[in-house]
Amino acid sequence: MELYIKYVLIGLAIAMPVGAITVEMTKQGLKNGFIHGWAVGLGGMTLDTALILAMYFGFASILSLPYVQIPLWLVGAGFLAYLGYDSIRNADQDITPADEKVKKSFWKTYRNGLLVAISPGNLIFWVSVFGAVLSDSYRSAGKESFAIAACGVLCGILIHDLGLVSLVSITRKVMSRRMIHWVSIAAGILLLGFSFYFLYEFVLSLWTYIQLLL
């Protein structure tokens, strides 16, 4: 239980900083309610679970290779640029008032969350930080300890996501359509900002790798 609570708190700490996932969750929660905000979080957690399984089966070292990480910066930049542009272009669309039934597809929102989560920053964090921590847990106490630690991390992320979208869904009830419209534009600008940052990291990583080869 002590190990589980420790990793729940670590999971909460991971999810707290404002990133692309948080921005997309807030936007979808305001426009379409609790379920769609949570769908983004589930998309992110799907990738988190896949990365935990990859580390469990020893594939973390592959994700840490430069020629695997470097293209991911470019891929992540492309995904975030698309989502940011779409958020700004359709800022006044797909807004469902709190007293109306949502028509937008749950799976489309889930897909957006999955695309946002496929970022090199997320992958590198899991490999560098949790790869070491979970691997140590696996070596010291075996498979059972690793499973408890992994479940604790995912539970911490889930608690954060549910708390965030609950707060957003309550706030949504007192916001006008125009306010949600401007929040969507702001979210799009933030996503584009993350996209430019990823593009910068791609160029920097590529240049560093080329210099090492030379």
Side-chain angles (χ1 to χ4, degrees), residues 134-163:
L134 293 177
S135 295
D136 180 68
S137 175
Y138 181 83
R139 286 193 300 269
S140 62
K143 296 180 180 180
E144 183 179 347
S145 177
F146 181 94
I148 292 171
C151 288
V153 169
L154 292 175
C155 185
I157 296 172
L158 179 62
I159 290 170
H160 167 270
D161 290 352
L162 290 176

Side-chain angles (χ1 to χ4, degrees), residues 22-38 40 91 93-99 102 104 109 164-187:
T22 305
V23 172
E24 185 67 15
M25 283 175 64
T26 302
K27 186 193 78 175
Q28 293 294 341
L30 286 175
K31 294 183 79 171
N32 297 294
F34 178 89
I35 295 298
H36 284 268
W38 190 34
V40 175
Q93 299 178 22
D94 296 327
I95 299 176
T96 307
D99 56 348
V102 178
K104 186 173 182 179
T109 310
L164 176 64
V165 293
S166 296
L167 182 61
V168 168
S169 63
I170 293 171
T171 305
R172 172 175 177 254
K173 295 178 181 179
V174 297
M175 291 183 72
S176 67
R177 185 184 181 94
R178 185 170 181 79
M179 290 172 66
I180 295 174
H181 166 84
W182 284 108
V183 168
S184 182
I185 291 176

Side-chain angles (χ1 to χ4, degrees), residues 18 31 33 55 57 66 73 98 100 113 171 176 184 191 193 196 198 208:
V18 176
K31 294 183 79 171
M55 285 186 284
F57 290 109
W73 285 113
E100 292 185 14
T171 305
S176 67
S184 182
L191 290 172
F196 286 123
F198 282 10
T208 304

